[in-house]
Amino acid sequence: MAELRPSGAPGPTAPPAPGPTAPPAFASLFPPGLHAIYGECRRLYPDQPNPLQVTAIVKYWLGGPDPLDYVSMYRNVGSPSANIPEHWHYISFGLSDLYGDNRVHEFTGTDGPSGFGFELTFRLKRETGESAPPTWPAELMQGLARYVFQSENTFCSGDHVSWHSPLDNSESRIQHMLLTEDPQMQPVQTPFGVVTFLQIVGVCTEELHAAQQWNGQGILELLRTVPVAGGPWLITDMRRGETIFEIDPHLQQERVDKGIETDGSNLSGVSAKCAWDDLSRPPEDDEDSRSICVGAQPRRLSGKDTEQIRETLRRGLEINSKPVLPPINPQRQNGLTHDRAPSRKDSLESDGSTAIIPHELIRTRQLESVHLKFNQESGALIPLCLRGRLLHGRHFTYKSITGDMAITFVSTGVEGAFATEEHPYAAHGPWLQILLTEEFVEKMLEDLEDLTSPEEFKLPKEYSWPEKKLKVSILPDVVFDSPLH
């Protein structure tokens, strides 16, 4: 629950917002991390020292539901000559370390990121006659912040967020988000580390799909070239009724399709509703290396396996001539890679009570026949996996959100995989790898063509390649919500 008030009005937990030149005694009362971010805001908006602010009534560190302490809202006049309309500029406070006393974030030093290392911003086109900023973007930002706090996964520029609902709960076509660097906010060095600013950009479903099939940065660049779809500062217009591909039909064929053909996709994996069965083993066989995830307490991925999967997702954004699945190595140091920041969790394991099987006790097992199961949304990404990743010599991972298991598709050009051309299906505990040759990928793309228009078929849907001993089923969500998955 939140309240709206000017940031200069005294609140229950914070004094008025000082500027960079605030008296020392006053500034010392103000949380140093908060003060540093306010300084950047005051640099950008010197004429708005006390903007309207949505404030969490009960702070997150006191048991409240909202991770962001504040969301400030500024009026930006834009630049009509540069096709930048007047808009509202929203800036969050809370994903970074505001206090430095471990009440929310662990203090790790001044050289690294502060808290999660970033704050969110959002630019919303100001409607004619609108005298005050709408407050719904603050709740949207709280929703994204809850995801970050609960999953401990960070965002970075080029990421996409599938929201599946109008961002303002209207009838708008703007139902998903991309993330990019804020065009005006500069990184801030605080006493608790560095803070960057990631801007939320509202997009249509067709634009989200293009970002998935190609890459987020490419679609962001196209949005910048279309003034009514974002323009240079990527300002979201909730009344926009056309996609960039409807505004300029040449963008799809000349930019996106060519980009996919040349670059492939930068999407290296997703959290999904998925499962797999070993059809070459009778159900009652319960050997230690059994890998199908059936039962109320499925076997959990080992710490080393989950670390490799997470590194796989990070490395998937790198465009290398020879993609490599990193070796299972407990001594690997966490760190930033090309475009993807790591999770702050030690592993992707759930918090369930099931004991982890020691990694050294699980042998890699070759399978003769497998059955893959996906819900409709996850299944619709299989053509992307095949065309945008495997045909470009890369890999793609589905990490289950309903059970502790994973499926990684790899091409013959990926090193470090335990699936091989001789044994294309291989399992390490509940982690399945499937190696597909280019010839088989082309065959699968032909057979799975209707997955690109999932609204046109009824569930369940099954595909089978008997000669390859592979079966794929697209199933209703309710199947994955049951205790057996």
Side-chain angles (χ1 to χ4, degrees):
M1 191 172 181
E3 64 176 349
L4 178 67
R5 60 178 177 82
S7 61
T13 58
T21 58
F26 183 68
S28 66
L29 297 174
F30 206 69
L34 195 59
H35 180 61
I37 299 173
Y38 264 128
E40 176 62 12
C41 295
R42 292 287 290 274
R43 179 193 68 80
L44 199 57
Y45 299 104
D47 59 337
Q48 299 179 60
N50 296 308
L52 284 175
Q53 193 173 70
V54 175
T55 302
I57 295 177
V58 180
K59 298 296 185 280
Y60 193 70
W61 38 273
L62 293 175
D66 299 323
L68 302 176
D69 282 11
Y70 313 99
V71 175
S72 288
M73 303 176 286
Y74 294 89
R75 184 167 176 170
N76 191 305
V77 296
S79 176
S81 61
N83 286 319
I84 300 170
E86 188 171 357
H87 59 278
W88 304 109
H89 193 191
Y90 300 76
I91 301 167
S92 77
F93 297 80
L95 284 161
S96 64
D97 191 350
L98 305 179
Y99 304 98
D101 56 7
N102 296 319
R103 73 178 72 178
V104 179
H105 301 282
E106 180 182 355
F107 175 61
T108 57
T110 60
D111 296 334
S114 169
F116 287 104
F118 69 97
E119 294 288 352
L120 293 169
T121 73
F122 181 61
R123 295 175 185 267
L124 177 67
K125 183 180 178 182
R126 177 178 171 267
E127 300 297 336
T128 303
E130 204 170 46
S131 58
T135 58
W136 62 262
E139 180 52 38
L140 182 73
M141 296 164 88
Q142 290 284 14
L144 293 179
R146 289 187 199 103
Y147 164 78
V148 172
F149 272 83
Q150 291 166 9
S151 69
E152 296 191 340
N153 292 320
T154 57
F155 291 125
C156 65
S157 180
D159 278 354
H160 69 268
V161 179
S162 303
W163 200 251
H164 300 291
S165 177
L167 303 189
D168 61 351
N169 294 317
S170 68
E171 299 298 319
S172 174
R173 292 185 69 177
I174 308 300
Q175 301 188 10
H176 308 280
M177 293 166 271
L178 299 179
L179 289 133
T180 188
E181 297 93 350
D182 188 286
Q184 288 185 295
M185 302 287 287
Q186 299 298 315
V188 173
Q189 177 67 59
T190 81
F192 315 127
V194 178
V195 181
T196 59
F197 297 90
L198 283 179
Q199 180 175 315
I200 300 164
V201 181
V203 296
C204 302
T205 298
E206 295 84 349
E207 293 155 356
L208 171 79
H209 289 165
Q212 291 175 329
Q213 293 162 10
W214 182 24
N215 63 69
Q217 297 290 8
I219 300 305
L220 287 165
E221 191 55 42
L222 294 184
L223 289 166
R224 289 186 179 97
T225 66
V226 182
V228 298
W233 288 3
L234 294 171
I235 296 163
T236 298
D237 180 2
M238 294 303 297
R239 295 192 178 185
R240 173 161 68 98
E242 294 181 301
T243 72
I244 55 173
F245 309 115
E246 292 166 340
I247 296 170
D248 185 352
H250 295 94
L251 291 180
Q252 178 69 50
Q253 184 174 6
E254 295 179 3
R255 297 292 299 277
V256 178
D257 291 348
K258 285 186 178 179
I260 295 171
E261 182 179 350
T262 303
D263 306 328
S265 172
N266 271 11
L267 183 65
S268 60
V270 292
S271 295
K273 290 186 175 181
C274 61
W276 65 272
D277 288 345
D278 176 6
L279 297 182
S280 56
R281 163 167 294 169
E284 65 274 8
D285 189 345
D286 196 29
E287 187 179 323
D288 275 349
S289 58
R290 177 175 173 79
S291 48
I292 85 171
C293 289
V294 177
Q297 293 196 342
R299 297 194 183 281
R300 298 178 65 186
L301 293 169
S302 73
K304 293 178 182 179
D305 281 343
T306 55
E307 186 65 17
Q308 182 175 355
I309 292 170
R310 189 166 70 247
E311 183 69 7
T312 294
L313 298 184
R314 294 178 208 153
R315 296 244 185 137
L317 290 176
E318 300 177 5
I319 301 178
N320 300 321
S321 59
K322 210 166 194 179
V324 177
L325 278 171
I328 299 172
N329 181 1
Q331 303 302 320
R332 191 195 61 78
Q333 296 295 315
N334 284 333
L336 298 177
T337 58
H338 182 67
D339 274 324
R340 172 70 58 176
S343 163
R344 299 202 309 185
K345 283 188 175 178
D346 292 332
S347 74
L348 296 175
E349 295 156 6
S350 65
D351 295 326
S353 59
T354 311
I356 300 172
I357 303 172
H359 178 273
E360 57 273 11
L361 297 183
I362 307 177
R363 63 182 176 86
T364 299
R365 184 163 58 86
Q366 285 77 43
L367 313 180
E368 293 297 321
S369 179
V370 295
H371 181 193
L372 309 181
K373 304 173 185 178
F374 302 93
N375 74 336
Q376 187 167 354
E377 183 177 5
S378 302
L381 292 176
I382 296 177
L384 158 66
C385 160
L386 301 176
R387 181 178 291 109
R389 298 294 297 180
L390 269 65
L391 286 183
H392 291 265
R394 301 178 195 163
H395 47 77
F396 190 92
T397 294
Y398 286 93
K399 172 68 177 68
S400 173
I401 59 175
T402 58
D404 200 32
M405 54 80 68
I407 302 168
T408 296
F409 292 89
V410 298
S411 68
T412 53
V414 175
E415 293 184 345
F418 46 78
T420 65
E421 289 191 64
E422 184 180 1
H423 300 288
Y425 312 135
H428 195 90
W431 181 15
L432 173 68
Q433 285 188 9
I434 298 181
L435 187 145
L436 302 176
T437 64
E438 183 174 339
E439 180 182 5
F440 188 29
V441 168
E442 296 283 7
K443 169 64 174 170
M444 290 181 69
L445 282 170
E446 291 179 12
D447 296 340
L448 298 171
E449 186 175 0
D450 57 347
L451 281 180
T452 59
S453 303
E455 67 280 355
E456 297 179 5
F457 65 80
K458 294 182 179 180
L459 301 180
K461 183 81 172 180
E462 186 171 293
Y463 306 87
S464 182
W465 297 269
E467 72 283 2
K468 296 292 186 179
K469 298 182 179 179
L470 176 64
K471 183 163 67 171
V472 173
S473 294
I474 312 300
L475 304 170
D477 282 353
V478 66
V479 173
F480 299 91
D481 296 334
S482 69
L484 293 182
H485 285 85

